[in-house]
Amino acid sequence: MSAAPEIPQTDKAPEGRGFGRGRGARGGRGGRGGRGGAQEEKEWIPCTKLGRLVKDKKIDSLEQIFLFSMPIKEYQIVDAFISEEVLKDEMLCVQQVQKSTSAGQRTRFKAFQMVGDHNGHIGIGVRVGKELAVAIKASLISAKLNIVPIRRGYWGNKIGVPHTVPMKVTGKCGSVSVRLVPAPRGTGIVASPVPTKLLQFAGISDVYTSAKGKTRTRGNFIMATFNALKKTYGFLTPDLWEETEPSRDPADEHSDFLANYPKAN
């Protein structure tokens, strides 16, 4: 029998195919930049009138937004005024919620998250997701959208910076009722751990608190404290009786700019 012809050995792979189980001529995925690399943050393209005014620096501060009760629909608006180094966030609690379906129990995660700058701004976000990471990310965005101003005041003489709540306020959620009472300077925050975190993020250093109801329901306890803090700007005290000159709404003042704003493709 004649010997089989020898096949010449080459280091070059056959054209169109690679050695082993490679993808051959299709090439690797490296040309696309890779899936594991750091993703660059996309440039913010505002979708609302308020977002366009903020990005073009037509609005100076968050207080101008709160003055005209303009709803914040984009979390980048808050990031534009308060930097990440100043605006802190903290996870308050994570709960598992279940729903009975025909296929059995469906479990999801409910996250409560808080953001604040320790200087009169605080927001609470509550979101539910199938995965914990999704719920946490969504609750952070929700907290930024729900950010509100907190008014601070004095107990007794007006010396130094404001340190307590300006008046007695009460917030309620479910069966839980939380009452905040002004306290002298140096008292500290007299509260349980849950309201203490919220009051610290709001920038309040001295306050008495009273809570009623089922405070073990932590979600209601958090929202009751938040609702009480929101009411601090709901009272018109004598120091706010001074006459102020009315100003135009930013959307009306810059209507020409908004009308000529380039539309996104």
Side-chain angles (χ1 to χ4, degrees), residues 72-89:
I72 300 176
K73 299 294 185 182
E74 298 173 273
Y75 70 93
Q76 293 92 342
I77 294 174
V78 178
D79 293 336
F81 292 117
I82 307 178
S83 63
E84 293 183 0
E85 292 77 14
V86 177
L87 189 67
K88 304 297 182 181
D89 62 271

Side-chain angles (χ1 to χ4, degrees), residues 44-49 52 55 256-265:
W44 174 38
I45 301 177
C47 303
T48 61
K49 292 181 180 180
R52 293 166 183 170
K55 187 174 182 180
D256 294 338
F257 165 78
L258 295 174
N260 299 325
Y261 195 87
K263 296 182 179 179
N265 294 330

Side-chain angles (χ1 to χ4, degrees), residues 195-256:
T196 298
K197 290 182 180 180
L198 273 74
L199 294 167
Q200 288 174 344
F201 269 58
I204 294 174
S205 54
D206 306 291
V207 66
Y208 294 120
T209 64
S210 172
K212 298 179 182 179
K214 192 74 171 179
T215 55
R216 285 183 60 185
T217 308
R218 184 169 294 186
N220 288 352
F221 202 7
I222 293 168
M223 295 308 299
T225 308
F226 182 58
N227 292 336
L229 288 171
K230 287 198 297 185
K231 289 184 179 179
T232 53
Y233 265 109
F235 293 89
L236 186 64
T237 52
D239 56 330
L240 299 178
W241 288 357
E242 298 178 1
E243 292 186 4
T244 56
E245 295 183 2
S247 56
R248 296 174 62 187
D249 186 279
D252 182 37
E253 183 179 357
H254 302 286
S255 57
D256 294 338

